[in-house]
């Protein structure tokens, strides 16, 4: 009897077996019935939606036309290269002859990759490459096998492997390269999808370098891998130094090279393996000047060039000092920098930031008459001895000895009745002290370098300290003669410490209500008198004295008048002072 209530037990169905993944075959030659169009960017790289098709086609055509028996691309005959280039240009409608070099470079890269695949995927595994590449010649294949089996080739291959292991941050840009990913990265940047710290990197190439090395996390989002975080931090730190003016890129440098080191000459990071430095770092001079290594034994005349660009823009002249440590404007001397004193500048560059900015000196115009740091590579030493080293003995201008230098050019400007430099006035004071020593009993000179108008504004404490020290050094002297340079114009001050009178001789004398506001040095002189005598009850009397006058267009003669007034005062006018002070 049949039991109709018995439940039917479902039988397990056989599971479909997974199909083996189809192996990728060699790329075949595109069937092109008419010339195709391919785009090129400003660097000459192929780009656009047919970027990969063009590259693949170059590879297939090269494999068919160029034999693997040639050891290197340089060994390929010129006529075969020409035939290859013409074939590709016809297939891709390329008429611009300027594209020839880039097309051949692309073919070279594809040809090398092809030989690398042959060695790795076939010959190492003892597979027959003729099954995949039927057009391979047996004789060429045999020569290729012999060459890669040679000791010479093995040594080169091992060296290349060791070199590749040093690349701890390989790019992850895929076959599209940096140029193919740029539109997508621009969208990410515009939509605010990038990590906040990446927006601090202002250099496009540096940002591309970071974006091209991101990896995917478990959720598929792009992240900065841990090994890239120190590089990102370094880029941001250097970017801040450049933005603050504390650091200037040198020749052949930009943010990326300053952070992670110089470029390989044949390719440019974050641009492409097929683009050299000349194109890849557009707008940046690639030629590096060779820094001179001459050891300085004394102060030397030099020209200063802008430490970037083509390194031939002379912006200033001055003196470079022997190598030394210590502080310059409270900052230590940087590596590969020198201590220089700026004597004069080219007015065209007066607003250019100095390489090492300080609170006192920001632009080149601020550096005249002061000591700053300058990159050694941008210091051009004088080829001939154009410098006279001068030393003022202790007690002449200050308590200790004071040394400086005078150039032949400064002497030339004096003879041509042009601008009179600080060094000329100071040398004149020293000569007068030696020549008229017997007449210097009542007089003493102040150091013009220590009371500059610029110093009065930037380092007033140093100026006041010097004035106090000078009055103490020359205690008992009736007259302190102070040549004072303010805004390229010379003024002579005759200071009488005993009766608190200061006589002012100005060749551009104009009626003015308040002399202290017109001459920066005067208010510091008031403070110096207070400290020197510790008596604030006696005010200083300022007397604008009648003297030789010049027109505004002849103001460069003010230094010549200063020299004449100093000479006359020491030789004659100090006697019977003050009735004989007038110089007109």
């Amino acid at each position: 009897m049949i039991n109709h209530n018995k439940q039917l037990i479902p039988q397990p169905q056989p599971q479909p077996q997974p199909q083996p993944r189809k192996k990728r075959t060699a790329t075949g030659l595109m069937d092109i019935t008419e010339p195709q169009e391919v785009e090129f960017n400003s660097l000459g790289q192929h780009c656009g939606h047919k970027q990969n098709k063009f590259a693949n086609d170059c590879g297939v055509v090269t494999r068919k036309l160029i034999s693997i028996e040639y050891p290197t691309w340089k060994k390929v005959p010129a006529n075969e290269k020409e035939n290859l280039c013409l074939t590709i240009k016809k297939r891709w409608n390329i008429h611009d002859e300027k594209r020839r070099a880039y097309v051949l470079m692309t073919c070279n890269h594809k040809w090398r990759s092809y030989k690398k695949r042959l060695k790795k995927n076939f010959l190492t595994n003892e597979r027959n490459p003729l099954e995949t590449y039927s057009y391979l010649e047996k004789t060429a294949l045999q020569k290729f096998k012999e060459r890669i089996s040679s000791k010479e080739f093995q040594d080169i291959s091992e060296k290349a492997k060791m070199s590749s292991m040093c690349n701890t941050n390989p790019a992850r840009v895929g076959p599209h390269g940096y140029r193919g990913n740029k539109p997508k990265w621009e969208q990410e940047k515009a939509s605010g999808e990038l990590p906040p710290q990446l927006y601090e990197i202002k250099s496009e190439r540096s940002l591309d370098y970071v974006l091209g090395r991101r990896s995917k996390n478990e959720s598929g989002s792009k992240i900065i891998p841990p090994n890239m975080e120190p590089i990102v931090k370094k880029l941001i730190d250097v970017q801040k130094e450049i933005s603050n003016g504390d650091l200037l890129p040198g020749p052949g440098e930009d943010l990326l090279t300053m952070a992670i080191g110089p470029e390989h000459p044949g390719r440019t990071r974050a641009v492409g393996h097929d683009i050299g430095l000349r194109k890849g770092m557009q707008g940046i001079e690639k030629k590096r000047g060779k820094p001179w290594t001459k050891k300085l034994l004394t102060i030397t005349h030099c020209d200063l060039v802008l430490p970037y660009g083509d390194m031939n823009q002379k912006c200033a002249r001055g003196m470079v000092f022997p190598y030394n440590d210590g502080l310059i404007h409270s900052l230590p001397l940087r590596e590969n920098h020198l201590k220089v004193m700026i004597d004069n500048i080219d007015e065209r560059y007066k607003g250019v930031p100095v390489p090492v900015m300080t609170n006192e000196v920001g632009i080149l115009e601020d550096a005249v008459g002061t000591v700053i740091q300058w990159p050694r590579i941008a210091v051009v030493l004088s080829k001939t001895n154009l410098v006279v080293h001068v030393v003022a003995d202790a007690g002449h201008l200050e308590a200790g000895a004071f040394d400086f230098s005078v150039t032949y050019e400064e002497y030339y400007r004096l003879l041509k009745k042009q601008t009179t430099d600080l060094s000329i006035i100071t040398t004149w004071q020293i000569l007068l002290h030696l020549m008229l020593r017997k007449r210097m009993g009542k007089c003493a000179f102040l150091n013009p370098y220590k009371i500059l108008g610029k110093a009065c504004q930037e380092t007033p404490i140093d100026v006041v300290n010097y004035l106090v020290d000078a009055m103490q050094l020359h205690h008992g002297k009736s007259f302190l003669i102070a040549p004072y340079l303010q805004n390229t114009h010379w003024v002579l001050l005759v200071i009488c410490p005993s009766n608190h009178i200061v006589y002012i001789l100005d060749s551009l004398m104009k009626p003015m209500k308040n002399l202290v506001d017109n001459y920066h040095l005067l208010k510091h002189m008031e403070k110096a008198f207070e400290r020197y005598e510790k008596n604030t009850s006696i005010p200083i009397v300022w007397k604008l004295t009648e003297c030789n006058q010049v027109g505004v267009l002849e103001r460069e003669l003010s230094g010549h008048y200063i020299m004449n007034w100093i000479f006359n005062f020491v030789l004659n006018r100090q006697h019977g002072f003050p009735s004989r002070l007038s110089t007109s």
Side-chain angles (χ1 to χ4, degrees), residues 336-348:
N336 293 324
H337 282 62
L338 295 173
K339 173 183 176 183
V340 298
M341 173 176 279
I342 307 294
D343 290 332
N344 53 79
I345 64 173
D346 188 325
E347 288 296 318
R348 295 175 297 175

Side-chain angles (χ1 to χ4, degrees), residues 184-326:
K184 180 174 61 177
W185 292 343
E186 290 294 334
Q187 291 180 0
E188 288 184 69
K189 184 178 179 181
S191 61
E193 297 177 12
L194 299 181
Q197 67 268 32
L198 295 188
Y199 289 94
E200 299 184 43
I201 301 175
K202 307 303 180 183
S203 166
E204 181 181 357
R205 191 170 78 97
S206 302
L207 182 58
D208 289 348
Y209 180 85
V210 176
L211 295 179
R213 282 159 177 78
R214 291 180 299 173
S215 59
K216 289 185 178 181
N217 58 15
E218 295 179 355
S219 62
S221 302
K222 290 288 187 72
I223 61 170
I224 300 174
N227 58 335
M228 276 296 297
E229 291 178 357
I231 295 179
V232 173
K233 184 179 184 303
K234 180 69 173 177
L235 286 169
I236 294 173
D237 292 342
V238 175
Q239 178 69 72
K240 289 179 180 178
E241 289 189 74
I242 295 175
S243 300
N244 295 335
D246 298 332
L247 197 60
L248 283 178
E253 289 185 332
D254 64 355
L255 174 60
L256 189 61
T257 58
M258 294 172 74
I260 64 176
E263 293 290 338
H264 186 283
R267 56 182 178 268
T268 310
R269 286 173 297 204
V271 177
H273 62 84
D274 49 3
I275 297 297
L277 296 182
R278 190 175 298 277
K279 286 185 178 180
M281 298 177 67
Q282 290 182 348
I284 300 177
E285 179 60 35
K286 315 309 174 302
K287 185 177 180 181
R288 287 180 176 270
K290 293 184 178 180
W292 48 270
T293 56
K294 176 182 176 182
K295 184 176 181 180
L296 291 175
L297 301 177
T298 184
I299 301 174
T300 306
H301 179 66
C302 66
D303 290 322
L304 303 180
V305 299
L306 296 181
Y308 45 82
D310 52 12
M311 297 285 286
N312 65 359
Q313 301 178 74
K314 293 183 180 179
C315 58
R317 285 195 168 183
M319 312 302 300
V320 58
F321 292 78
Y323 299 120
N324 195 11
D325 296 327

Side-chain angles (χ1 to χ4, degrees), residues 10-231:
Q11 298 296 321
Q13 298 294 325
Q15 296 294 328
Q17 296 296 323
Q19 296 294 325
R21 184 176 179 179
K22 186 178 180 180
K23 294 184 179 181
R24 179 180 175 181
T25 59
T27 304
L29 189 66
M30 291 176 57
D31 185 15
I32 295 179
T33 56
E34 58 182 22
Q36 299 291 302
E37 298 292 336
V38 61
E39 302 175 35
F40 291 89
N41 61 17
S42 60
L43 298 177
Q45 297 171 301
H46 59 283
C47 59
H49 66 284
K50 292 187 178 181
Q51 172 186 334
N52 289 351
K53 289 184 178 180
F54 173 77
N56 291 336
D57 195 56
C58 286
V60 175
V61 175
T62 303
R63 292 200 298 265
K64 289 183 175 294
L65 297 183
I66 306 297
S67 174
I68 61 173
E69 66 178 296
Y70 299 116
T72 63
W73 186 254
K74 290 183 179 180
K75 299 295 183 179
V76 178
N79 62 324
E80 293 191 26
K81 290 182 181 178
E82 188 64 28
N83 179 48
L84 171 65
C85 187
L86 290 174
T87 301
I88 293 175
K89 288 171 71 174
K90 287 180 181 178
R91 291 171 63 84
W92 288 91
N93 198 23
I94 302 174
H95 302 291
D96 191 349
E97 187 60 26
K98 294 180 181 179
R99 306 295 183 202
R100 180 181 184 277
Y102 181 80
V103 168
L104 289 178
M105 186 187 301
T106 303
C107 293
N108 176 18
H109 175 70
K110 290 294 182 180
W111 187 64
R112 291 175 61 187
S113 299
Y114 166 54
K115 292 196 295 181
K116 182 179 178 180
R117 287 197 304 273
L118 279 179
K119 175 180 177 294
K120 180 180 179 181
N121 298 338
F122 295 94
L123 303 182
T124 304
N125 299 328
E126 297 184 354
R127 291 172 55 195
N128 185 7
L130 294 175
E131 295 177 0
T132 304
Y133 305 107
S134 57
Y135 44 79
L136 268 176
E137 297 179 359
K138 292 184 178 181
T139 55
L141 182 60
Q142 184 60 35
K143 290 182 180 180
F144 180 71
K145 287 181 179 180
E146 294 174 358
R147 187 171 66 254
I148 65 174
S149 301
S150 66
K151 185 179 184 305
E152 180 184 3
F153 183 89
Q154 293 296 331
D155 291 341
I156 295 175
S157 179
E158 188 64 28
K159 184 178 179 181
K161 288 179 182 178
M162 297 299 294
S163 179
S164 64
M165 291 175 63
C166 296
N167 185 13
T168 57
N169 295 303
R172 297 182 174 93
V173 291
H176 294 286
Y178 289 97
R179 58 191 181 278
N181 284 281
K182 269 184 175 294
K184 180 174 61 177
W185 292 343
E186 290 294 334
Q187 291 180 0
E188 288 184 69
K189 184 178 179 181
S191 61
E193 297 177 12
L194 299 181
Q197 67 268 32
L198 295 188
Y199 289 94
E200 299 184 43
I201 301 175
K202 307 303 180 183
S203 166
E204 181 181 357
R205 191 170 78 97
S206 302
L207 182 58
D208 289 348
Y209 180 85
V210 176
L211 295 179
R213 282 159 177 78
R214 291 180 299 173
S215 59
K216 289 185 178 181
N217 58 15
E218 295 179 355
S219 62
S221 302
K222 290 288 187 72
I223 61 170
I224 300 174
N227 58 335
M228 276 296 297
E229 291 178 357
I231 295 179

